[in-house]
Amino acid sequence: MTEQEHNTGEVAMLTIGGRTIELPVVEGTEGDKAIDISELRRQTGYVTLDRGFANTASCSSAITFMDGEKGILRYRGYPVEELAEHSEFVETAYLLINGDLPDHKELNRFRMMLNDNSLVHEDMQRFFQSFPRDSHPMGILSSMVTALRSFYPALIGMPRSEAILLTLTRLLSKVRTMAAMSYKISRGHRVIYPRLDLSYCANFLNMMFDNPVKPYEIDHDKVKALNVFWILHADHEQNCSTAAVRLVGSARVNLYAAISAGMAALWGPLHGGANQAVIEMLEQIQAAGGDFRPFIERAKDKNDPFRLYGFGHRVYKTYDPRARIMKAMCDRLLAKLEIQDPLLDMAKELEEVVLRDSYFADHNLYPNVDFYSGIVLRALGIPTNMFTVMFAIGRLPGWISQWMEDAGDPKWKIYRPRQVYVGPAQRPFVPIHQR
Ligand code: CMC
């Protein structure tokens, strides 16, 4: 059940249309306060207008805490820095979904369940084969996730909590298998099946890169890097894709459909698609001779829609804590693997110049998680068009836990925003021969 915000006893007074009403003030556990306007329309006839929900809390949530001014990110109270250092992705997923860190027995059971559910129905492979070869992997994955519901129908007769556990385990395990399958099929290679003896991350790398001619050797530095990459993406409170999962889920659709909606939202270049866009931007700069200054000038030009991908965030008005960890990991991983990536050198120089530029300082634009993540993924051998799929696999525990929180909320309501209508006033229908 969802923890609820508490009423502070404070009120906000609103005087409108000749009368004054009191709106209660509620507070969360970290001291963030909100004016509860749920009675506003009933009492006054007015609604609030807040484009992009920049100032609207759509729910109360006990999963993730962010402080955008201080650059803080915590899952269930644990700083993301500590999780990245000491946890593994499966343990962090358990934490997000269940609310607490598992003990040995709980973690082993969860790992076993993930391994037991890692196979994907063979008929789904045929489904994969029917997509045009150059389809974007995000398009394939979101359709395949919706299709999972047909291959794994509702679990009738099972207690609800067990049915949810099995469904979420299937999702976490099979989406990872399907992502690797789609890569193999896109290359025309034989699909590699998951192995019971490998961990979640090692299994993914093996399914991606093992082949009958050259067996894949598991590299522990790569496995650690993938764990950290996925931990850093595991949740981020009410971002665009999570809000989509909650909104679609609020209509009481099944979990697969809600997650598929999240994937569709994540695909956008302003959201999860930014990791692909960053690398493409860096490659474009490289192809243009390596001088990034004209790109910075374009990003500052109000008449040019171009933006520097990997910079800026709706909530963070300082350095994204995930970007700091990603950058350090990038340095470590490339050094360990003895990889020289000219894009990393260019990214660092670009960041230095941008951080000294008054436009970016005045707009509070700092590197976000996507700025260095693509370079980590390149080092792991992941093709650029799969970067957002990698983000999606990482975000699954977050989407699932947010969906579960909404589903168990005693104050649950279907999401149904209001609008301010600005279209034509009433007018009579004109028959076609008179128009
Ligand atoms: N480059 C240049 N100018 C920028 C950028 C940027 N990357 N980001 C924001 N601005 C400017 C924008 O032009 C506007 O300027 P002004 O006030 O003078 O008109 C101001 O900063 C505020 O921008 P906004 O679009 O109103 O801010 P937002 O909170 O709606 O957008 C954002 C946040 C992430 C969509 C935006 O910063 C952006 O487009 N960044 C590039 C895409 C990107 O890297 N996305 C990944 C986000 S982190 C991963 C995730 O969680 O999805």
Side-chain angles (χ1 to χ4, degrees), residues 29-257:
T29 40
E30 292 283 349
D32 34 347
K33 290 188 176 177
I35 300 167
D36 182 347
I37 55 146
S38 25
E39 288 296 305
L40 178 67
R41 186 170 178 279
R42 203 179 59 74
Q43 290 191 26
T44 65
Y46 288 75
V47 295
T48 51
L49 175 62
D50 181 20
R51 291 189 206 283
F53 306 128
N55 206 44
T56 295
S58 57
C59 59
S60 45
S61 176
I63 301 171
T64 288
F65 173 71
M66 285 173 74
D67 183 325
E69 271 68 39
K70 296 191 186 130
I72 293 174
L73 174 62
R74 297 184 203 130
Y75 303 154
R76 302 284 189 186
Y78 295 100
V80 72
E81 292 81 2
E82 290 183 26
L83 291 168
E85 183 153 359
H86 304 296
S87 185
E88 59 172 271
F89 177 62
V90 167
E91 184 185 47
T92 297
Y94 183 101
L95 167 72
L96 283 165
I97 292 165
N98 295 284
D100 277 311
L101 286 168
D103 60 23
H104 272 299
K105 210 169 131 203
E106 289 163 334
L107 184 57
N108 283 338
R109 180 165 175 258
F110 190 44
R111 283 191 185 127
M112 268 168 59
M113 280 190 76
L114 287 168
N115 268 350
D116 286 348
N117 285 282
S118 57
L119 273 179
V120 170
H121 200 295
E122 288 288 313
D123 287 351
M124 285 193 99
Q125 276 198 40
R126 263 185 276 136
F127 195 2
F128 266 115
Q129 311 273 11
S130 319
F131 281 94
R133 275 285 144 92
D134 56 355
S135 306
H136 195 283
M138 278 303 277
I140 301 179
L141 197 65
S142 55
S143 349
M144 296 303 285
V145 169
T146 316
L148 271 176
R149 168 59 182 234
S150 308
F151 286 92
Y152 301 92
L155 298 158
I156 310 218
M158 196 183 262
R160 183 171 156 74
S161 60
E162 278 177 40
I164 290 181
L165 176 62
L166 182 53
T167 307
L168 73 87
T169 311
R170 282 176 171 167
L171 259 166
L172 282 169
S173 199
K174 292 184 200 305
V175 166
R176 172 203 53 168
T177 306
M178 290 185 327
M181 253 166 92
S182 65
Y183 171 65
K184 285 292 191 194
I185 291 170
S186 74
R187 302 211 54 197
H189 289 177
R190 199 178 87 181
V191 164
I192 303 292
Y193 287 91
R195 275 174 33 192
L196 275 184
D197 60 322
L198 292 180
S199 69
Y200 188 92
C201 293
N203 235 327
F204 175 76
L205 291 173
N206 191 62
M207 286 189 278
M208 286 285 291
F209 302 118
D210 187 52
N211 70 55
V213 185
K214 191 165 179 260
Y216 184 67
E217 277 178 39
I218 305 289
D219 178 311
H220 293 287
D221 293 316
K222 289 186 178 176
V223 172
K224 170 72 187 160
L226 184 55
N227 266 295
V228 174
F229 175 88
W230 275 339
I231 288 172
L232 295 182
H233 287 84
D235 195 44
H236 215 223
E237 54 121 297
Q238 307 311 315
N239 55 84
C240 179
S241 57
T242 302
V245 169
R246 283 205 183 233
L247 184 141
V248 172
S250 80
R252 290 294 186 248
V253 298
N254 62 79
L255 181 56
Y256 299 111

Side-chain angles (χ1 to χ4, degrees), residues 271-292:
H271 191 12
N275 55 12
Q276 177 173 342
V278 168
I279 291 296
E280 287 168 353
M281 176 183 80
L282 293 174
E283 284 170 344
Q284 217 185 328
I285 296 173
Q286 197 180 37
D291 183 5
F292 44 72

Side-chain angles (χ1 to χ4, degrees), residues 236 269-272 274 299 302 307-314 322 359-360 363 365 368-370 391:
H236 215 223
L270 296 190
H271 191 12
K302 274 227 165 294
R307 284 187 168 194
L308 272 190
Y309 287 105
F311 283 86
H313 197 274
R314 171 62 63 79
R322 303 167 301 171
Y359 170 90
F360 292 89
H363 286 76
L365 298 170
N368 59 47
V369 69
D370 291 317
F391 191 151

